Amino acid sequence: KYYYPDCRILANARSRDTLDYALQEGIIDEACPVGEAFQDCDYIFLCAPVETNISCLPLLKPWLKEDCILTDVGSTKTDIHKAAEKLGLGAWFIGGHPMAGSEKSGIRSSKRILLENAYYILTPSKDIAPEKTERYRKLVETLKAIPLILSCQEHDFAVAGVSHLPHIVASALVNLVQDSDTEHQTMKTLAAGGFKDITRIASSSPEMWE
């Protein structure tokens, strides 16, 4: 909305509070259910947990105009690519994953500069038109992010190592201290900057990480 103030943004969310806040702050223009309302969209972004994104695909399929780009921001790609292909949505779907964010979640933790200088991975379907991929790549650049085009398999392998595994390590360390600390909570008392740095992401949304 900052870079394209004249664009019209429609949105759906499971929380009415989220939608009301987005409308109040001018982040979106209209709140509407998933379906017919999106038939004129140039882009549709699925920004829920991965399995929820997949469940939206059949709801949107009847309403995609020919030049629409259907994408997501999930941190795994192979499953949603398989689902899109099975539904015959390969000509519309380009997976997307902005490598940005923090341990905080929810619309009130959003930042306008969140994507600046962050890698934004695109995983085009094998049936997508090259001009659609190029259009999406250029959009990412205008948002000041750095587009990187990968296959969904290459994306998942790399992100498992640099993003998912660190989260498991952080969560395991927090659980270790929780389970092993003394009755005087000596471990928690002594935990300083290094511990906080390595465990920060353990406090992020468990639903999203699952």
Side-chain angles (χ1 to χ4, degrees), residues 3 51 189:
Y3 290 110
E51 291 184 359
T189 301

Side-chain angles (χ1 to χ4, degrees), residues 154-166:
E154 187 178 8
H155 166 276
D156 285 2
F157 183 77
V159 172
V162 302
S163 182
H164 300 151
L165 181 57

